Amino acid sequence: MANLQTTFLGIKSPNPFWLASAPPTDREVNVTRAFKAGWGGVVWKTLGEDPHIVNVNGPRYGAIHSNDRRLIGLNNIELITDRPLEVNLREIKAVKKAWPDRAIVVSLMVPCEEEAWKKILPLVEDTGADGIELNFGCPHGMSERGMGAAVGQVPEYVGMVARWCKQHTRMPVIVKLTPNITDIRAPARAAKEGGADAVSLINTINSIMGVDLDVMAPSPHIDGKATHGGYCGPAVKPIALSMVSEIARDPETHGLPISAIGGITTWRDAAEFMALGAGTVQVCTAAMTYGFKIVEEMKLGLSDWMDEKGYTSVDQFVGKAVPNVTDWQYLNLNYVVKARIDQESCIKCGRCHIVCEDTSHQAITAEKDGVRHFEVMDDECVGCNLCVSVCPVENCITMEQQTDGVDARTGQPIDPAYGNWTTHPNNPMRVAAE
């Protein structure tokens, strides 16, 4: 079996799966239950100053479901922990003592003042926690108070607070980034310049999940009023993957350790983030949906996949996909593909024809010899793969590369050589090919 043991910023854990926003309770420390279930680490639900934060007494979540009622997106208006600081600190210390082999990182959010950070850091350090995560991502409630995303959206503030924390603690400092920003690289660069040891991303995305048309207020609503919240779950995974890759391949942040967050529900999700540069993955919505034991499937699936691919440690594939992420202008414009429909697998639903006919390139027939028959016309097909995306039968439609001859659509010979937009004759700013 593959070895899932992970070392991140010198913090060791038996696997790369960390429970995010780990919620302790007075009845039983849920973190202990999470560790018993097999999680490699936790990021403790964000602590703040005393007096502690007050949360709403009412609905905090909004959801988007698929047609089969699977949760694909979750919105929350919850704030940071509403339990006293002293209680949280006591529990962190006890849990770390009982579980020394598991990673415990403490999320923090206090006012953007050096004294506030200087005051709370030694209290956390005294618990024996392995590191801290600076929550610069929360998009609601706390941001209105000058914390959370209000800090994360200003790179200068990100770097400033990171420097304060590095000056006043021995613990590794992870900066949690907000996705509610034009260019995720800017705060990541600032975090690195400020001395941060790593970044984690993404935090939740500003969102309103829907409108209750009877009450005429967004949902969820509190006494007829509502606010935007933070969006998470499987639906945000593509956004998170893109932002993680941007940091991993940016020359100014390349090599900066990353803890990935954003819709991670399966082992495959985790492997994809790790291939794009993440050293650990944080999971929250999936645990809220399926419970702590979901980590069992994640660990088993990742281990089986690693065995199949010949990886003996997670370090062997972390970042392996990063060199293959590029800018549009460097894509090979000489690469020609055409769609192919497997007639034996085709169920004659016609979805491929309808979408191609109505919204794409009219490249798929509807009938042949008076009978329903769906076939790709090479002289119209641009290889966009929209038909693959809507086909309900897996692998019924595939994309096949054309390597020689003439492209039936353009009438031009297929060039096997690599050629991109920077050298294309239609580009007025083209450069001479080497």
Short mmCIF file of all heavy atoms in Angstrom, two decimals, residues 41-103:
data_model
loop_
_atom_site.label_atom_id
_atom_site.label_comp_id
_atom_site.label_asym_id
_atom_site.label_seq_id
_atom_site.Cartn_x
_atom_site.Cartn_y
_atom_site.Cartn_z
N GLY A 41 -5.16 15.60 9.88
CA GLY A 41 -4.99 16.86 10.60
C GLY A 41 -6.27 17.66 10.58
O GLY A 41 -7.26 17.28 9.94
N VAL A 42 -6.25 18.76 11.30
CA VAL A 42 -7.40 19.67 11.31
C VAL A 42 -6.91 21.11 11.29
O VAL A 42 -5.80 21.41 11.73
CB VAL A 42 -8.30 19.48 12.56
CG1 VAL A 42 -8.90 18.09 12.61
CG2 VAL A 42 -7.53 19.79 13.84
N VAL A 43 -7.74 21.96 10.73
CA VAL A 43 -7.57 23.39 10.90
C VAL A 43 -8.71 23.84 11.80
O VAL A 43 -9.88 23.81 11.41
CB VAL A 43 -7.59 24.14 9.55
CG1 VAL A 43 -7.46 25.64 9.80
CG2 VAL A 43 -6.46 23.64 8.66
N TRP A 44 -8.37 24.19 13.03
CA TRP A 44 -9.36 24.50 14.07
C TRP A 44 -10.20 25.70 13.65
O TRP A 44 -9.67 26.69 13.13
CB TRP A 44 -8.64 24.80 15.37
CG TRP A 44 -9.44 24.58 16.61
CD1 TRP A 44 -10.31 25.44 17.18
CD2 TRP A 44 -9.41 23.42 17.45
NE1 TRP A 44 -10.84 24.90 18.33
CE2 TRP A 44 -10.30 23.65 18.52
CE3 TRP A 44 -8.72 22.20 17.41
CZ2 TRP A 44 -10.52 22.73 19.53
CZ3 TRP A 44 -8.93 21.28 18.41
CH2 TRP A 44 -9.82 21.54 19.46
N LYS A 45 -11.49 25.62 13.89
CA LYS A 45 -12.40 26.70 13.51
C LYS A 45 -11.88 28.03 14.05
O LYS A 45 -11.45 28.14 15.18
CB LYS A 45 -13.81 26.44 14.02
CG LYS A 45 -14.85 27.41 13.48
CD LYS A 45 -16.26 26.99 13.85
CE LYS A 45 -17.31 27.98 13.34
NZ LYS A 45 -17.39 28.02 11.88
N THR A 46 -11.96 29.06 13.22
CA THR A 46 -11.29 30.33 13.46
C THR A 46 -11.58 30.92 14.84
O THR A 46 -12.74 31.11 15.23
CB THR A 46 -11.68 31.35 12.38
OG1 THR A 46 -11.43 30.78 11.09
CG2 THR A 46 -10.88 32.63 12.54
N LEU A 47 -10.47 31.23 15.55
CA LEU A 47 -10.56 31.89 16.85
C LEU A 47 -10.44 33.40 16.67
O LEU A 47 -9.78 33.88 15.75
CB LEU A 47 -9.43 31.42 17.77
CG LEU A 47 -9.19 29.92 17.94
CD1 LEU A 47 -8.11 29.71 19.00
CD2 LEU A 47 -10.46 29.19 18.31
N GLY A 48 -11.05 34.12 17.60
CA GLY A 48 -10.92 35.57 17.60
C GLY A 48 -10.74 36.07 19.02
O GLY A 48 -10.51 35.29 19.95
N GLU A 49 -10.82 37.37 19.18
CA GLU A 49 -10.67 37.96 20.49
C GLU A 49 -11.89 37.70 21.37
O GLU A 49 -12.98 37.43 20.87
CB GLU A 49 -10.49 39.48 20.37
CG GLU A 49 -9.21 39.93 19.71
CD GLU A 49 -9.12 41.45 19.68
OE1 GLU A 49 -10.12 42.10 19.33
OE2 GLU A 49 -8.04 41.97 20.01
N ASP A 50 -11.72 37.80 22.67
CA ASP A 50 -12.86 37.87 23.57
C ASP A 50 -13.24 39.33 23.76
O ASP A 50 -12.35 40.21 23.75
CB ASP A 50 -12.50 37.25 24.94
CG ASP A 50 -12.65 35.73 24.93
OD1 ASP A 50 -13.48 35.24 24.14
OD2 ASP A 50 -11.95 35.06 25.71
N PRO A 51 -14.53 39.67 23.94
CA PRO A 51 -15.65 38.72 24.01
C PRO A 51 -15.90 38.06 22.67
O PRO A 51 -15.68 38.66 21.61
CB PRO A 51 -16.84 39.59 24.43
CG PRO A 51 -16.47 40.95 23.94
CD PRO A 51 -14.99 41.06 24.10
N HIS A 52 -16.36 36.81 22.72
CA HIS A 52 -16.47 36.02 21.51
C HIS A 52 -17.58 36.54 20.59
O HIS A 52 -18.47 37.27 20.99
CB HIS A 52 -16.72 34.55 21.86
CG HIS A 52 -17.89 34.33 22.78
ND1 HIS A 52 -17.77 34.38 24.15
CD2 HIS A 52 -19.20 34.10 22.52
CE1 HIS A 52 -18.96 34.16 24.70
NE2 HIS A 52 -19.84 33.99 23.73
N ILE A 53 -17.49 36.12 19.34
CA ILE A 53 -18.43 36.53 18.30
C ILE A 53 -19.83 35.99 18.58
O ILE A 53 -19.99 34.90 19.15
CB ILE A 53 -17.93 36.01 16.93
CG1 ILE A 53 -16.65 36.75 16.53
CG2 ILE A 53 -18.98 36.16 15.85
CD1 ILE A 53 -16.83 38.24 16.32
N VAL A 54 -20.84 36.73 18.18
CA VAL A 54 -22.23 36.27 18.28
C VAL A 54 -22.73 35.92 16.89
O VAL A 54 -22.69 36.74 15.97
CB VAL A 54 -23.13 37.37 18.89
CG1 VAL A 54 -24.58 36.92 18.90
CG2 VAL A 54 -22.65 37.72 20.30
N ASN A 55 -23.19 34.68 16.72
CA ASN A 55 -23.76 34.24 15.46
C ASN A 55 -25.28 34.42 15.45
O ASN A 55 -25.89 34.62 16.51
CB ASN A 55 -23.43 32.76 15.22
CG ASN A 55 -22.11 32.57 14.48
OD1 ASN A 55 -21.99 32.91 13.31
ND2 ASN A 55 -21.11 32.03 15.17
N VAL A 56 -25.89 34.34 14.28
CA VAL A 56 -27.35 34.45 14.19
C VAL A 56 -28.00 33.22 14.81
O VAL A 56 -27.44 32.12 14.79
CB VAL A 56 -27.81 34.60 12.73
CG1 VAL A 56 -27.31 35.89 12.13
CG2 VAL A 56 -27.37 33.40 11.89
N ASN A 57 -29.18 33.40 15.35
CA ASN A 57 -29.98 32.29 15.86
C ASN A 57 -31.02 31.93 14.80
O ASN A 57 -32.19 32.27 14.92
CB ASN A 57 -30.67 32.67 17.17
CG ASN A 57 -29.68 32.89 18.29
OD1 ASN A 57 -28.80 32.06 18.52
ND2 ASN A 57 -29.78 34.02 18.97
N GLY A 58 -30.60 31.27 13.78
CA GLY A 58 -31.51 30.95 12.69
C GLY A 58 -30.76 30.33 11.54
O GLY A 58 -29.59 29.95 11.67
N PRO A 59 -31.40 30.21 10.39
CA PRO A 59 -30.77 29.56 9.25
C PRO A 59 -29.45 30.21 8.86
O PRO A 59 -29.37 31.43 8.75
CB PRO A 59 -31.81 29.73 8.13
CG PRO A 59 -33.11 29.91 8.83
CD PRO A 59 -32.77 30.65 10.10
N ARG A 60 -28.44 29.35 8.66
CA ARG A 60 -27.12 29.84 8.29
C ARG A 60 -26.68 29.32 6.93
O ARG A 60 -25.63 29.73 6.43
CB ARG A 60 -26.08 29.43 9.34
CG ARG A 60 -26.40 29.91 10.74
CD ARG A 60 -25.36 29.44 11.74
NE ARG A 60 -25.74 29.80 13.11
CZ ARG A 60 -25.00 29.54 14.19
NH1 ARG A 60 -23.84 28.92 14.05
NH2 ARG A 60 -25.42 29.89 15.39
N TYR A 61 -27.43 28.40 6.36
CA TYR A 61 -27.00 27.74 5.13
C TYR A 61 -28.05 27.80 4.03
O TYR A 61 -29.25 27.73 4.28
CB TYR A 61 -26.66 26.26 5.40
CG TYR A 61 -25.61 26.07 6.45
CD1 TYR A 61 -25.93 25.69 7.76
CD2 TYR A 61 -24.26 26.29 6.15
CE1 TYR A 61 -24.96 25.54 8.72
CE2 TYR A 61 -23.28 26.14 7.12
CZ TYR A 61 -23.63 25.76 8.40
OH TYR A 61 -22.67 25.61 9.35
N GLY A 62 -27.58 27.94 2.82
CA GLY A 62 -28.39 27.80 1.63
C GLY A 62 -27.73 26.77 0.74
O GLY A 62 -26.51 26.63 0.74
N ALA A 63 -28.51 26.03 -0.04
CA ALA A 63 -27.95 24.92 -0.81
C ALA A 63 -28.45 24.91 -2.24
O ALA A 63 -29.56 25.36 -2.53
CB ALA A 63 -28.27 23.59 -0.14
N ILE A 64 -27.62 24.39 -3.13
CA ILE A 64 -28.01 24.07 -4.49
C ILE A 64 -27.82 22.57 -4.68
O ILE A 64 -26.76 22.03 -4.35
CB ILE A 64 -27.17 24.85 -5.52
CG1 ILE A 64 -27.51 26.34 -5.45
CG2 ILE A 64 -27.41 24.32 -6.93
CD1 ILE A 64 -26.73 27.19 -6.43
N HIS A 65 -28.87 21.92 -5.20
CA HIS A 65 -28.84 20.47 -5.37
C HIS A 65 -28.89 20.10 -6.85
O HIS A 65 -29.44 20.84 -7.67
CB HIS A 65 -30.02 19.82 -4.65
CG HIS A 65 -30.04 20.04 -3.17
ND1 HIS A 65 -30.72 21.08 -2.58
CD2 HIS A 65 -29.46 19.35 -2.16
CE1 HIS A 65 -30.57 21.03 -1.27
NE2 HIS A 65 -29.80 20.00 -0.99
N SER A 66 -28.35 18.94 -7.16
CA SER A 66 -28.52 18.38 -8.49
C SER A 66 -29.92 17.77 -8.58
O SER A 66 -30.65 17.73 -7.58
CB SER A 66 -27.46 17.30 -8.74
OG SER A 66 -27.66 16.21 -7.85
N ASN A 67 -30.29 17.28 -9.75
CA ASN A 67 -31.62 16.70 -9.91
C ASN A 67 -31.85 15.48 -9.04
O ASN A 67 -33.01 15.15 -8.73
CB ASN A 67 -31.87 16.34 -11.39
CG ASN A 67 -32.00 17.57 -12.27
OD1 ASN A 67 -32.33 18.65 -11.78
ND2 ASN A 67 -31.73 17.42 -13.56
N ASP A 68 -30.77 14.81 -8.66
CA ASP A 68 -30.93 13.65 -7.78
C ASP A 68 -30.70 14.00 -6.31
O ASP A 68 -30.47 13.14 -5.48
CB ASP A 68 -30.01 12.50 -8.20
CG ASP A 68 -28.54 12.88 -8.14
OD1 ASP A 68 -28.24 14.04 -7.78
OD2 ASP A 68 -27.68 12.02 -8.43
N ARG A 69 -30.77 15.29 -6.00
CA ARG A 69 -30.73 15.81 -4.64
C ARG A 69 -29.34 15.75 -4.00
O ARG A 69 -29.19 15.92 -2.80
CB ARG A 69 -31.75 15.07 -3.77
CG ARG A 69 -32.10 15.67 -2.41
CD ARG A 69 -32.67 17.06 -2.47
NE ARG A 69 -32.85 17.61 -1.12
CZ ARG A 69 -33.20 18.86 -0.87
NH1 ARG A 69 -33.44 19.68 -1.86
NH2 ARG A 69 -33.32 19.29 0.37
N ARG A 70 -28.31 15.57 -4.80
CA ARG A 70 -26.96 15.66 -4.25
C ARG A 70 -26.61 17.12 -4.04
O ARG A 70 -26.93 17.98 -4.86
CB ARG A 70 -25.94 15.00 -5.18
CG ARG A 70 -25.97 13.50 -5.21
CD ARG A 70 -24.88 12.92 -6.09
NE ARG A 70 -25.02 13.36 -7.47
CZ ARG A 70 -24.19 14.17 -8.09
NH1 ARG A 70 -23.13 14.66 -7.45
NH2 ARG A 70 -24.38 14.52 -9.35
N LEU A 71 -25.93 17.39 -2.94
CA LEU A 71 -25.51 18.76 -2.64
C LEU A 71 -24.33 19.13 -3.52
O LEU A 71 -23.28 18.48 -3.45
CB LEU A 71 -25.12 18.88 -1.17
CG LEU A 71 -24.72 20.27 -0.69
CD1 LEU A 71 -25.92 21.19 -0.66
CD2 LEU A 71 -24.08 20.20 0.70
N ILE A 72 -24.48 20.16 -4.34
CA ILE A 72 -23.37 20.56 -5.20
C ILE A 72 -22.83 21.94 -4.84
O ILE A 72 -21.73 22.30 -5.24
CB ILE A 72 -23.78 20.53 -6.69
CG1 ILE A 72 -24.98 21.44 -6.95
CG2 ILE A 72 -24.07 19.12 -7.14
CD1 ILE A 72 -25.35 21.53 -8.41
N GLY A 73 -23.59 22.71 -4.08
CA GLY A 73 -23.12 24.02 -3.65
C GLY A 73 -23.76 24.40 -2.33
O GLY A 73 -24.95 24.17 -2.11
N LEU A 74 -22.96 24.97 -1.42
CA LEU A 74 -23.45 25.36 -0.11
C LEU A 74 -23.02 26.78 0.18
O LEU A 74 -21.89 27.17 -0.10
CB LEU A 74 -22.88 24.42 0.96
CG LEU A 74 -23.47 24.54 2.37
CD1 LEU A 74 -24.90 24.04 2.40
CD2 LEU A 74 -22.63 23.73 3.36
N ASN A 75 -23.95 27.56 0.71
CA ASN A 75 -23.68 28.94 1.09
C ASN A 75 -23.85 29.05 2.60
O ASN A 75 -24.77 28.44 3.17
CB ASN A 75 -24.67 29.86 0.35
CG ASN A 75 -24.77 31.25 0.95
OD1 ASN A 75 -25.30 31.42 2.04
ND2 ASN A 75 -24.34 32.24 0.21
N ASN A 76 -22.98 29.79 3.26
CA ASN A 76 -23.16 29.97 4.70
C ASN A 76 -22.96 31.42 5.10
O ASN A 76 -22.21 32.16 4.47
CB ASN A 76 -22.19 29.05 5.48
CG ASN A 76 -20.83 29.68 5.65
OD1 ASN A 76 -20.58 30.43 6.61
ND2 ASN A 76 -19.92 29.40 4.72
N ILE A 77 -23.68 31.80 6.15
CA ILE A 77 -23.52 33.15 6.72
C ILE A 77 -23.02 33.05 8.16
O ILE A 77 -23.20 33.96 8.96
CB ILE A 77 -24.84 33.95 6.65
CG1 ILE A 77 -25.97 33.22 7.40
CG2 ILE A 77 -25.22 34.23 5.21
CD1 ILE A 77 -27.22 34.08 7.57
N GLU A 78 -22.40 31.90 8.47
CA GLU A 78 -21.85 31.71 9.81
C GLU A 78 -20.56 32.51 9.96
O GLU A 78 -19.82 32.72 9.00
CB GLU A 78 -21.59 30.22 10.06
CG GLU A 78 -21.20 29.91 11.48
CD GLU A 78 -21.22 28.41 11.76
OE1 GLU A 78 -20.23 27.74 11.43
OE2 GLU A 78 -22.24 27.92 12.26
N LEU A 79 -20.29 32.93 11.18
CA LEU A 79 -19.06 33.66 11.46
C LEU A 79 -18.05 32.73 12.11
O LEU A 79 -18.19 31.52 12.09
CB LEU A 79 -19.38 34.86 12.37
CG LEU A 79 -20.43 35.83 11.84
CD1 LEU A 79 -20.61 36.99 12.81
CD2 LEU A 79 -20.05 36.35 10.46
N ILE A 80 -17.02 33.29 12.70
CA ILE A 80 -16.00 32.49 13.36
C ILE A 80 -16.58 31.91 14.65
O ILE A 80 -17.74 32.12 14.97
CB ILE A 80 -14.73 33.33 13.63
CG1 ILE A 80 -15.02 34.46 14.62
CG2 ILE A 80 -14.20 33.89 12.31
CD1 ILE A 80 -13.78 35.26 14.99
N THR A 81 -15.77 31.18 15.39
CA THR A 81 -16.27 30.48 16.58
C THR A 81 -17.01 31.42 17.53
O THR A 81 -16.58 32.55 17.76
CB THR A 81 -15.13 29.78 17.33
OG1 THR A 81 -15.68 29.06 18.45
CG2 THR A 81 -14.10 30.77 17.84
N ASP A 82 -18.11 30.92 18.06
CA ASP A 82 -18.85 31.71 19.06
C ASP A 82 -18.67 31.11 20.46
O ASP A 82 -19.47 31.33 21.35
CB ASP A 82 -20.33 31.81 18.71
CG ASP A 82 -20.96 30.45 18.43
OD1 ASP A 82 -20.33 29.42 18.74
OD2 ASP A 82 -22.09 30.42 17.91
N ARG A 83 -17.57 30.37 20.62
CA ARG A 83 -17.22 29.82 21.93
C ARG A 83 -16.07 30.63 22.51
O ARG A 83 -15.22 31.12 21.77
CB ARG A 83 -16.84 28.34 21.79
CG ARG A 83 -17.96 27.52 21.16
CD ARG A 83 -17.50 26.13 20.75
NE ARG A 83 -17.26 25.29 21.89
CZ ARG A 83 -16.07 24.79 22.22
NH1 ARG A 83 -15.01 25.08 21.48
NH2 ARG A 83 -15.93 24.01 23.26
N PRO A 84 -16.00 30.77 23.83
CA PRO A 84 -14.95 31.58 24.45
C PRO A 84 -13.54 31.16 24.03
O PRO A 84 -13.27 29.97 23.84
CB PRO A 84 -15.18 31.36 25.94
CG PRO A 84 -16.63 31.03 26.06
CD PRO A 84 -16.95 30.23 24.82
N LEU A 85 -12.66 32.10 23.91
CA LEU A 85 -11.29 31.83 23.49
C LEU A 85 -10.62 30.85 24.45
O LEU A 85 -9.94 29.91 24.02
CB LEU A 85 -10.51 33.14 23.42
CG LEU A 85 -9.02 33.03 23.07
CD1 LEU A 85 -8.84 32.41 21.69
CD2 LEU A 85 -8.37 34.41 23.12
N GLU A 86 -10.80 31.06 25.73
CA GLU A 86 -10.14 30.22 26.73
C GLU A 86 -10.55 28.76 26.59
O GLU A 86 -9.72 27.84 26.74
CB GLU A 86 -10.47 30.74 28.13
CG GLU A 86 -9.72 30.03 29.27
CD GLU A 86 -10.40 28.75 29.71
OE1 GLU A 86 -11.64 28.67 29.61
OE2 GLU A 86 -9.68 27.82 30.16
N VAL A 87 -11.83 28.51 26.28
CA VAL A 87 -12.32 27.14 26.11
C VAL A 87 -11.65 26.49 24.90
O VAL A 87 -11.19 25.35 24.95
CB VAL A 87 -13.85 27.13 25.96
CG1 VAL A 87 -14.35 25.72 25.59
CG2 VAL A 87 -14.51 27.60 27.25
N ASN A 88 -11.60 27.23 23.79
CA ASN A 88 -10.94 26.70 22.60
C ASN A 88 -9.47 26.38 22.85
O ASN A 88 -8.97 25.32 22.47
CB ASN A 88 -11.07 27.70 21.45
CG ASN A 88 -12.37 27.59 20.70
OD1 ASN A 88 -12.61 26.62 19.98
ND2 ASN A 88 -13.22 28.59 20.85
N LEU A 89 -8.77 27.28 23.49
CA LEU A 89 -7.35 27.08 23.75
C LEU A 89 -7.11 25.85 24.62
O LEU A 89 -6.19 25.06 24.38
CB LEU A 89 -6.75 28.32 24.41
CG LEU A 89 -6.72 29.59 23.55
CD1 LEU A 89 -6.29 30.79 24.38
CD2 LEU A 89 -5.80 29.41 22.35
N ARG A 90 -7.96 25.69 25.62
CA ARG A 90 -7.82 24.53 26.51
C ARG A 90 -8.03 23.23 25.75
O ARG A 90 -7.30 22.24 25.94
CB ARG A 90 -8.84 24.65 27.65
CG ARG A 90 -8.70 23.52 28.69
CD ARG A 90 -9.66 23.71 29.86
NE ARG A 90 -11.07 23.54 29.46
CZ ARG A 90 -11.97 24.50 29.53
NH1 ARG A 90 -11.65 25.71 29.97
NH2 ARG A 90 -13.22 24.27 29.17
N GLU A 91 -9.02 23.22 24.85
CA GLU A 91 -9.30 22.00 24.09
C GLU A 91 -8.21 21.71 23.07
O GLU A 91 -7.85 20.54 22.85
CB GLU A 91 -10.66 22.12 23.41
CG GLU A 91 -11.82 22.09 24.40
CD GLU A 91 -13.17 22.21 23.72
OE1 GLU A 91 -13.20 22.47 22.49
OE2 GLU A 91 -14.20 22.03 24.40
N ILE A 92 -7.67 22.73 22.44
CA ILE A 92 -6.57 22.53 21.48
C ILE A 92 -5.39 21.87 22.19
O ILE A 92 -4.79 20.91 21.68
CB ILE A 92 -6.14 23.87 20.85
CG1 ILE A 92 -7.27 24.44 19.99
CG2 ILE A 92 -4.87 23.70 20.02
CD1 ILE A 92 -7.04 25.88 19.56
N LYS A 93 -5.06 22.37 23.34
CA LYS A 93 -3.92 21.83 24.09
C LYS A 93 -4.16 20.38 24.46
O LYS A 93 -3.26 19.53 24.32
CB LYS A 93 -3.69 22.68 25.35
CG LYS A 93 -2.42 22.33 26.11
CD LYS A 93 -2.16 23.36 27.21
CE LYS A 93 -0.80 23.13 27.87
NZ LYS A 93 -0.49 24.19 28.86
N ALA A 94 -5.37 20.05 24.90
CA ALA A 94 -5.69 18.68 25.31
C ALA A 94 -5.67 17.73 24.12
O ALA A 94 -5.15 16.61 24.21
CB ALA A 94 -7.05 18.65 26.00
N VAL A 95 -6.23 18.17 23.00
CA VAL A 95 -6.29 17.31 21.82
C VAL A 95 -4.90 17.07 21.25
O VAL A 95 -4.55 15.95 20.87
CB VAL A 95 -7.23 17.91 20.76
CG1 VAL A 95 -7.15 17.09 19.47
CG2 VAL A 95 -8.66 17.96 21.26
N LYS A 96 -4.08 18.11 21.22
CA LYS A 96 -2.73 17.93 20.69
C LYS A 96 -1.92 16.99 21.57
O LYS A 96 -1.14 16.18 21.06
CB LYS A 96 -2.03 19.29 20.57
CG LYS A 96 -0.64 19.21 19.93
CD LYS A 96 -0.72 18.60 18.53
CE LYS A 96 0.65 18.35 17.93
NZ LYS A 96 0.60 17.70 16.61
N LYS A 97 -2.11 17.06 22.85
CA LYS A 97 -1.40 16.17 23.77
C LYS A 97 -1.84 14.72 23.55
O LYS A 97 -1.02 13.79 23.60
CB LYS A 97 -1.65 16.59 25.22
CG LYS A 97 -0.90 15.74 26.24
CD LYS A 97 -1.14 16.25 27.65
CE LYS A 97 -0.38 15.39 28.66
NZ LYS A 97 -0.61 15.88 30.06
N ALA A 98 -3.13 14.53 23.29
CA ALA A 98 -3.66 13.17 23.10
C ALA A 98 -3.36 12.61 21.72
O ALA A 98 -3.29 11.40 21.54
CB ALA A 98 -5.17 13.18 23.34
N TRP A 99 -3.17 13.49 20.74
CA TRP A 99 -2.94 13.06 19.36
C TRP A 99 -1.69 13.75 18.80
O TRP A 99 -1.76 14.55 17.87
CB TRP A 99 -4.15 13.40 18.50
CG TRP A 99 -5.40 12.68 18.90
CD1 TRP A 99 -6.29 13.07 19.84
CD2 TRP A 99 -5.87 11.45 18.36
NE1 TRP A 99 -7.32 12.16 19.94
CE2 TRP A 99 -7.08 11.15 19.04
CE3 TRP A 99 -5.41 10.57 17.38
CZ2 TRP A 99 -7.83 10.00 18.75
CZ3 TRP A 99 -6.14 9.43 17.10
CH2 TRP A 99 -7.33 9.14 17.78
N PRO A 100 -0.52 13.43 19.32
CA PRO A 100 0.70 14.13 18.88
C PRO A 100 1.10 13.87 17.44
O PRO A 100 1.86 14.65 16.87
CB PRO A 100 1.76 13.58 19.85
CG PRO A 100 1.24 12.25 20.28
CD PRO A 100 -0.25 12.41 20.35
N ASP A 101 0.57 12.79 16.84
CA ASP A 101 0.95 12.47 15.46
C ASP A 101 0.05 13.14 14.43
O ASP A 101 0.27 12.99 13.24
CB ASP A 101 0.90 10.96 15.24
CG ASP A 101 -0.51 10.39 15.33
OD1 ASP A 101 -1.30 10.89 16.16
OD2 ASP A 101 -0.82 9.45 14.58
N ARG A 102 -0.96 13.89 14.89
CA ARG A 102 -1.88 14.55 13.95
C ARG A 102 -1.59 16.05 13.91
O ARG A 102 -1.18 16.66 14.89
CB ARG A 102 -3.34 14.34 14.37
CG ARG A 102 -3.72 12.89 14.58
CD ARG A 102 -3.51 12.02 13.34
NE ARG A 102 -3.68 10.63 13.64
CZ ARG A 102 -4.82 9.96 13.46
NH1 ARG A 102 -5.87 10.60 12.98
NH2 ARG A 102 -4.88 8.68 13.76
N ALA A 103 -1.81 16.62 12.76
CA ALA A 103 -1.56 18.05 12.57
C ALA A 103 -2.72 18.86 13.13
O ALA A 103 -3.88 18.57 12.87
CB ALA A 103 -1.38 18.36 11.09
#
